[in-house]
Amino acid sequence: MSTPQVEGTDRKILSLLAVDGRMSFTDLGKATGLSTSAVHQRVKRLEARGLIHGYGASVDHDRLGRPLTAFISITPIDPSQPDDYPDRLASISEIESCWSVAGDESYILKIRVATPRDLEDLLARIRGAANVSTRTTIVLSTAYENRPVH
């Protein structure tokens, strides 16, 4: 699969939408020097080309009752088993992201829970569901996250 080429104006649109996914076509036009209809067409093309996957909200996880963020690295106990760990873990709602990685571990999970006790319970559920060993890193603070494209 080839990497899509993105020219300057489209890059600017992507950058603006990464910061504010609800930015109007009119405001995008003002920021890029294009008409509202031209921006609308470009955004639709960027969506069609797969450069924009969707739009979302940044939420305050502390206020949602899940202030504890951690990264959990998983390693298969039996490497001869099928590599279906994402499927085995998909129903666990505390897992926000799952990345396949190179290195000692097979996957890294980003999770959010309310308390250390909840983390302990979650680790037990992950180990049981996927038959893996885990290594956990707890996030103390977040300087920045989900930085926009430049």
Side-chain angles (χ1 to χ4, degrees):
M1 182 159 120
S2 66
T3 303
Q5 297 299 314
V6 182
E7 58 104 349
T9 303
D10 285 346
R11 254 185 215 286
K12 175 85 173 172
I13 291 169
L14 290 170
S15 179
L16 291 165
L17 287 173
V19 172
D20 179 5
R22 295 179 61 164
M23 190 173 209
S24 71
F25 294 131
T26 302
D27 290 339
L28 283 169
K30 288 176 186 173
T32 58
L34 297 173
S35 69
T36 301
S37 62
V39 167
H40 183 259
Q41 289 173 353
R42 282 179 180 255
V43 169
K44 292 300 173 200
R45 274 198 307 265
L46 291 167
E47 290 170 347
R49 291 173 56 197
L51 289 160
I52 298 174
H53 291 239
Y55 302 88
S58 294
V59 299
D60 185 331
H61 294 281
D62 291 352
R63 294 183 72 185
L64 285 174
R66 289 188 173 177
L68 194 155
T69 302
F71 292 95
I72 301 172
S73 302
I74 65 171
T75 305
I77 291 174
D78 181 359
S80 68
Q81 292 299 306
D83 183 357
D84 61 353
Y85 304 105
D87 293 335
R88 291 187 202 186
L89 300 172
S91 66
I92 299 176
S93 64
E94 295 91 343
I95 299 173
E96 184 176 298
S97 302
C98 175
W99 297 285
S100 175
V101 296
D104 292 335
E105 291 90 8
S106 296
Y107 291 89
I108 296 177
L109 312 173
K110 179 180 178 184
I111 64 91
R112 296 188 191 265
V113 293
T115 67
R117 175 63 190 192
D118 292 334
L119 176 59
E120 186 176 20
D121 292 343
L122 176 61
L123 288 168
R125 288 176 23 228
I126 289 170
R127 290 180 191 128
N131 193 31
V132 294
S133 63
T134 61
R135 185 175 58 84
T136 303
T137 302
I138 295 175
V139 174
L140 299 177
S141 66
T142 303
Y144 47 82
E145 183 176 30
N146 299 324
R147 291 171 58 160
V149 177
H150 294 292

